[in-house]
Amino acid sequence: EVQLVESGGGLVKPGGSLRLSCAASGFRFSGAWMCWVRQAPGKGLEWVGRIRSKTDGGTVEYAAPVKDRFTISRDDSKNSLYLQINSLKTEDTATYYCTTWNYWEYYFDSWGQGTLVSVSS
Amino acid sequence: QSALTQPASVSGSPGQSITISCTGPSSDIGDYKAVSWYQQHPGKAPKLLMYDVSNRYSGISHRFSGSGSASRASLTISGLQADDEAYYYCYSYTRGTSAGAFGGGTKLTVL
């Protein structure tokens, strides 16, 4: 069974930094393309970024609103995905979901339960 | 790729059918676009229902179906059940690029 477990969320002041983690199990993580999707309170879903498997080049892509402040990385030896968020803004307040990405049919198939990031002074 | 438009809310009675639309410029839906649909119950993570417009994901009830045209994709739920009450999101991805966008979401109320 695929499991994705996010952690690392919390309350942070504007301008601060945070590193979110996603622990994966139940599938071959090293071969998976992974994404982060966020959802502001009471709002819709927003794609944040995607990282390819190292076999497919390990390329990282970001949504335009976050590409200068967010960094996605992976550690296949630990079956883990990361999201480094710098210079946090109040509009980054959201639940952040880790997902697998099906690169043949282009969809988010498995989702974690999410971790909440709150940015407030 | 611009955000896609969905109705803010739809409703139906148990046993009825409803359709949720997902519209955008023909450049955002249609040829070369892979549309998927997600269901989200309050406080829960989204769950994949449909992919590539009309393909049902593994384990998803046949009550869910999808269709699409040049500028519109639709999700139909037949035989409405109380548990179908949730938010539904479409997502369109352009093959061959990295461009994708979610719809704004539709709240389904089962009366």
Side-chain angles (χ1 to χ4, degrees):
Chain A
E1 180 195 1
V2 173
Q3 275 206 311
L4 299 170
V5 180
E6 301 93 336
S7 60
L11 177 61
V12 187
K13 288 182 166 44
S17 297
L18 207 56
R19 188 197 200 203
L20 307 183
S21 299
C22 171
S25 60
F27 64 102
R28 192 171 69 89
F29 180 78
S30 62
W33 293 29
M34 302 294 296
C35 293
W36 287 98
V37 174
R38 69 180 178 180
Q39 185 172 36
K43 302 296 184 183
L45 301 170
E46 179 186 19
W47 175 73
V48 170
R50 176 183 304 114
I51 185 167
R52 300 185 182 195
S53 64
K54 286 192 167 51
T55 303
D56 291 315
T59 308
V60 186
E61 299 159 311
Y62 300 96
V66 307
K67 67 184 178 71
D68 294 329
R69 299 184 296 115
F70 287 28
T71 302
I72 297 174
S73 61
R74 64 191 300 158
D75 185 340
D76 292 343
S77 69
K78 295 182 179 178
N79 286 348
S80 292
L81 177 72
Y82 304 103
L83 178 64
Q84 176 73 38
I85 310 176
N86 297 327
S87 303
L88 275 156
K89 305 177 181 182
T90 54
E91 53 262 41
D92 295 321
T93 293
T95 295
Y96 286 74
Y97 294 100
C98 161
T99 84
T100 54
W101 172 253
N102 184 299
Y103 53 83
W104 289 108
E105 303 279 8
Y106 311 108
Y107 56 79
F108 308 95
D109 34 8
S110 297
W111 297 65
Q113 86 290 348
T115 187
L116 178 62
V117 173
S118 296
V119 185
S120 173
S121 55
Chain B
Q1 187 162 353
S2 53
L4 305 172
T5 300
Q6 298 180 232
S9 63
V10 297
S11 63
S13 299
Q16 287 186 332
S17 295
I18 62 94
T19 296
I20 299 171
S21 62
C22 173
T23 60
S26 57
S27 57
D28 288 345
I29 304 246
D31 290 349
Y32 307 112
K33 305 300 186 294
V35 177
S36 50
W37 289 91
Y38 303 84
Q39 176 193 59
Q40 186 180 33
H41 287 104
K44 301 292 187 182
K47 169 185 167 184
L48 173 66
L49 297 174
M50 311 290 300
Y51 65 94
D52 201 10
V53 179
S54 60
N55 291 283
R56 206 173 294 107
Y57 189 58
S58 175
I60 300 303
S61 169
H62 282 67
R63 298 186 301 105
F64 293 87
S65 61
S67 62
S69 63
S71 61
R72 181 188 186 98
S74 298
L75 173 71
T76 298
I77 309 174
S78 59
L80 271 179
Q81 299 177 358
D83 189 53
D84 296 333
E85 186 161 292
Y87 286 86
Y88 292 83
Y89 295 91
C90 62
Y91 178 79
S92 176
Y93 181 85
T94 304
R95 295 182 175 88
T97 75
S98 303
F102 281 101
T106 299
K107 181 178 181 181
L108 168 61
T109 300
V110 180
L111 303 170

